[in-house]
Amino acid sequence: MKSGLATIQPERVRALNDHPVRDGKYVVYWMQASQRAEYNHALEYAVQEANQLGQPLVAVFGLTDEFPEANLRHYAFMLAGLRQTQAALARRGVQLVVRRRSPERPAIDMVGDASMLVADVGYLRIQRAWRRYVADSAPCLVVQVETDAVVPVEIASGKEEYAAATLRPKIHRQLDRFLVALKTTPLRRDSLGLKLDGLALSDEDAVLADLRVDRSVSPVDTHPAGTVQARQRLKRFIADRLRDYPTLRNDPGLDCVSHMSPYLHFGQISPLYVALQVAGARGVGRQAKDAYLEELIVRRELSLNFVHYSRHYDSYRALPAWARTTLADHRRDRRPVRYSADDLERARTDDPYWNAAQRQMVVTGKMHNYMRMYWGKKILEWTSSPQQAFRIALRLNNKYELDGRDPNSFAGVAWCFGKHDRPWSRRPIFGTVRYMNAAGLRRKFDIDAYVRKIEHLGR
């Protein structure tokens, strides 16, 4: 582990077992969370180790039919990106072997002839379990390299942080060290000639058709998948909208956002690459850059901190004690109206703004972030208990959002119920949890223009 760290900070690298490097046939990069062939510290580390050993590098990906809450929408987006990544890796001399099994199994299959295995980092409970299993089962060294955070989670903080205000100074103290470009290392021996069985992603539709997944949620064409598309979208955002980001990002009708979250969720673009592109943008003021980097780094990595350190990140128990207490105190308050889970899913409420937000998510796979806050608050107001509201909000978010089941999703839904926030003035139903209403939307934005925009999308 002492080699290959000239462009990769040692703090990103962690051995998951104490086995030595063996005399194998190749090095394995187990690509699971970071589904890209560039700006990927785990991949570059694996290339460097393969070069030192004089061996080829093989990448492996496990395609499971059973990722919790994932459906056809998510799988279609992921497979379209993987097809591009498989081709991009081949151009670097790396064969990507995709096998249809629970992700830990192809990794274990490949290490039989491997000198070592390099893994990326997954933050969710199931992703961590996969990596523990591989580390415990592999006969060779297993190394994990964190590449989907600008500042590695445990380096930023050793505990669950209360809010962005407590994490921000810790992140900023580390930025000079971690906000630096990642060099690409040429691979000296390619693995393209090795005979290894795997799925041919050139016909992604056939692969998708064969998967036994929930097909109730259709794929969307609003976000073309893959690293190339992510970079193009980022370039357009920087050129056309970044300068207005501080003042216009919260307006749902103006779409002054980057739409990077689906690509970040599937690892199709690096947060470090995004940050460096924004930081180096010409003709854009410091205020605009800082506003975007606050969301990309501090706020996003607050969500990584949350799922990393909270055992209950996907349940109501994750809320702070003050929020659970105040919501319990007001549990029996009279609701102005109650909607069933089915009514909410079908956007059958008397609130046109809420309905538009729900339709935006269902139709496009993404809801404007400001509207997601309003959306979650109203679910709390319209259901029988805060626990029921939490379950409904998280289920709908994870079902329809392209970036559902992401640390940002778990943190974002929990925020609507008081997570990473502070007590506010007391109100019925909400207690001291922050309140939002339709009057606030009308006061701040041309919210009816947003409704008309969404109605047009649904035609």
Side-chain angles (χ1 to χ4, degrees), residues 292-309:
Y292 187 84
L293 294 175
E294 163 73 11
E295 298 296 323
L296 174 70
I297 302 177
V298 175
R299 301 286 176 162
R300 180 175 177 271
E301 296 190 13
L302 178 64
S303 73
L304 302 183
N305 170 276
F306 172 45
V307 300
H308 183 76
Y309 288 110

Side-chain angles (χ1 to χ4, degrees), residues 123 146 149 151-158 167 301 304-305 308-309:
Y123 299 99
E146 190 165 5
V151 178
V153 169
E154 293 184 6
I155 300 303
S157 176
L167 181 62
E301 296 190 13
L304 302 183
N305 170 276
H308 183 76
Y309 288 110

